[in-house]
């Protein structure tokens, strides 16, 4: 509150000094002596009120800006907030431990995730789990009605060896993947080696554009 008062006093002193320095025309000296003080007082009060209002508005704005500056580091340090695909995926894949009769998804050390499909009935559940974890992957069962000749004509930007290393292919059908190695724009394509019922193995492909269907043969 000292800022508006100081500003008002300073402005009043400057206006008074300026008014005293003015020389009025000879025919209107008495009129100016009568009305000049009123005009100076009104001007001083009006400008002071505007200054007080401006300071009152400026103070909350400054306080809000300071709060935003304090909150910014907290937002920047939040997990997965760096804007990279790997950071977001790693944050969503930690703590996964889903095992049922149709599929399983488990977190492993080093950001790895093991995926296994036991039966084609588990395709919707496995897809929902991958989506919830933020893993850009699609599970597509082979379809006899699919006439496509290939998965995609676009080559991925990333490396399948990094996303699904050979050491992660296990004989029991478990596939270990590294979601953090998926380049933004690429997608994992899981294709179960079964037309119906139990699944013996799960093929993995890295694509840039997901197909609409996968042929059965």
């Amino acid at each position: 509150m000292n800022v508006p008062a100081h500003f008002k006093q300073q402005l009043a002193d400057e206006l008074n000094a300026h008014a005293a320095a003015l020389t009025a025309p000879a025919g209107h000296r008495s009129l100016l002596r009568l009305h000049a003080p009123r005009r100076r007082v009104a001007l001083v009060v009006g400008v002071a009120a505007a200054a007080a209002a401006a300071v009152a508005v400026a103070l909350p704005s400054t306080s809000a800006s300071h709060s935003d500056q304090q909150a910014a580091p907290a937002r920047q340090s939040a997990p997965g907030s760096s804007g990279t695909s790997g950071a977001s995926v790693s944050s969503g894949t930690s703590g996964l431990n889903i095992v049922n009769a149709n599929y399983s998804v488990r977190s492993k050390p080093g950001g790895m995730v093991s995926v296994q499909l036991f039966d084609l009935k588990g395709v919707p559940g496995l897809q929902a789990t991958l989506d919830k974890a933020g893993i850009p992957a699609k599970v597509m069962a082979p379809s006899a009605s699919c006439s496509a000749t290939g998965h995609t004509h676009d080559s991925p930007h990333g490396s399948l060896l990094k996303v699904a290393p050979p050491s992660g292919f296990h004989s029991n059908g478990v596939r270990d993947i590294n979601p953090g190695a998926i380049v933004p724009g690429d997608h994992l394509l899981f294709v179960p080696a079964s037309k119906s019922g139990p699944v013996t193995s799960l093929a993995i492909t890295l694509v840039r554009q997901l197909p609409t269907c996968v042929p059965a043969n």
Side-chain angles (χ1 to χ4, degrees):
M1 297 304 294
N2 293 331
V3 176
H6 175 72
F7 179 80
K8 180 172 61 177
Q9 182 62 44
Q10 182 182 10
L11 183 60
D13 293 342
E14 291 179 1
L15 289 175
N16 288 332
H18 181 68
L22 292 177
T23 303
H28 298 280
R29 290 183 183 274
S30 60
L31 181 60
L32 287 175
R33 282 196 297 270
L34 291 175
H35 294 283
R38 293 184 182 180
R39 292 176 59 189
R40 287 202 305 273
V41 172
L43 182 58
V44 170
V45 173
V47 174
V55 174
V57 172
L59 288 178
S61 300
T62 303
S63 177
S65 299
H66 181 66
S67 300
D68 291 341
Q69 293 174 357
Q70 289 180 333
R75 289 194 296 267
Q76 294 175 357
S77 60
S81 62
S82 62
T84 61
S85 175
S88 300
V89 171
S90 298
S91 177
T93 56
S94 60
L96 288 173
N97 188 21
I98 301 175
V99 180
N100 55 47
N102 297 320
Y103 68 94
S104 71
V105 181
R106 292 182 176 182
S107 298
K108 301 187 69 175
M112 301 293 288
V113 176
S114 67
V115 178
Q116 187 173 10
L117 183 64
F118 305 116
D119 195 283
L120 286 182
K121 295 178 181 179
V123 169
L126 177 57
Q127 183 65 63
T129 301
L130 296 172
D131 291 341
K132 187 175 182 180
I135 301 176
K138 185 72 174 180
V139 186
M140 302 185 71
S143 172
S145 61
C146 181
S147 59
T149 57
H151 296 333
T152 179
H153 297 292
D154 295 333
S155 299
H157 290 181
S159 171
L160 180 61
L161 292 177
K162 294 181 179 180
V163 178
S167 59
F169 284 72
H170 305 285
S171 58
N172 58 355
V174 176
R175 297 293 179 260
D176 294 339
I177 62 173
N178 181 11
I182 301 176
V183 175
D186 286 353
H187 304 271
L188 274 178
L189 178 61
F190 293 97
V191 180
S194 176
K195 297 180 182 180
S196 62
V199 176
T200 56
S201 63
L202 191 63
I204 301 179
T205 307
L206 189 65
V207 298
R208 192 68 180 176
Q209 180 180 355
L210 288 170
T212 57
C213 64
V214 176
N217 49 4

